[in-house]
Amino acid sequence: MRTVKQPRALATRDRILAEAARLFALKGYHDTKLEEIQSAAEVTTGAFFHHFGGKEDLGFAVLDRHMGKRRKSLDEIERRMPPPREDDPLGRVFLRLDAIQEMVRQREQRKGGCVIGNLSTALSDTHDGFRQRLAECFDEMAREFKPHLDAAVQQSGAARHVDTWELARYIVAIVEGSIMLTRTHRDRQMMARQFDYLKEHLRQSLGASST
């Protein structure tokens, strides 16, 4: 990935990334042509290749941008929400779930699906580099939950072993699946219901008393 420092060049690069992310989410990676991205971003072929080595390089940059924007958005949403008690680690998990739900609600008018989900479906079986990077994206999401799950397990004094890493991945699976189901069924309340079931499962499995 090429390093860019000048403000005008940074703005051009970000415009290319924004249009690529939009088109990948709307049409998929394979069905989006570089010419379409260049046209949408209003850049020449020379300007595009000044910033990116090609479509693959662009795809990795889109993933990096998406994850960065996701982190920033969720952190900002959480700061506007009532914080959980200091002694309530499971409440931190629920806060992140509530922030995800709010982020999805804010984006519900956008056309196209999740770029992470779309690229996973299109590329995981055919491009090992993308498969590995996408796996890292999902694992990054899981790491947001794991420390709080560790603390909740320790606090609960659970008699049985709880694999908090797999539990964190399970949460990510519910989140991503709920996003797809919500869009497919056009049911705005589906994610809320799925998250309610998930929270109840976590309360019961960790023996916590969070509300």
Side-chain angles (χ1 to χ4, degrees), residues 88-107:
D88 183 15
L90 199 54
R92 301 296 307 181
V93 174
F94 295 170
L95 179 65
R96 177 58 55 145
L97 289 172
D98 291 342
I100 290 171
Q101 188 174 336
E102 174 60 18
M103 182 181 69
V104 172
R105 187 196 66 77
Q106 292 176 4
R107 297 177 177 180

Side-chain angles (χ1 to χ4, degrees), residues 93-178:
V93 174
F94 295 170
L95 179 65
R96 177 58 55 145
L97 289 172
D98 291 342
I100 290 171
Q101 188 174 336
E102 174 60 18
M103 182 181 69
V104 172
R105 187 196 66 77
Q106 292 176 4
R107 297 177 177 180
E108 64 185 4
Q109 298 304 319
R110 294 185 186 181
K111 298 294 184 181
C114 171
V115 68
I116 298 291
N118 284 3
L119 293 183
S120 295
T121 301
L123 298 171
S124 291
D125 289 339
T126 60
H127 193 300
D128 200 57
F130 270 113
R131 181 194 62 76
Q132 292 181 38
R133 180 65 186 99
L134 288 159
E136 291 170 1
C137 291
F138 288 122
D139 284 350
E140 178 180 327
M141 297 176 194
R143 282 193 294 273
E144 296 172 353
F145 297 107
K146 188 178 185 302
H148 308 306
L149 294 172
D150 289 337
V153 169
Q154 184 175 7
Q155 185 183 78
S156 72
R160 65 182 181 86
H161 170 71
V162 178
D163 187 336
T164 54
W165 178 239
E166 288 306 322
L167 184 56
R169 283 177 160 175
Y170 168 75
I171 294 173
V172 173
I174 296 297
V175 168
E176 293 300 302
S178 295

Side-chain angles (χ1 to χ4, degrees), residues 3-12 50-51:
T3 302
V4 182
K5 295 182 179 180
Q6 296 180 353
R8 185 174 178 180
L10 283 169
T12 299
H50 174 75
H51 293 283

Side-chain angles (χ1 to χ4, degrees), residues 9-19 51-52 65 69:
L10 283 169
T12 299
R13 183 177 186 276
D14 194 63
R15 191 165 68 250
I16 295 169
L17 286 170
E19 291 301 331
H51 293 283
F52 303 100
R65 176 181 182 272
K69 288 176 69 67

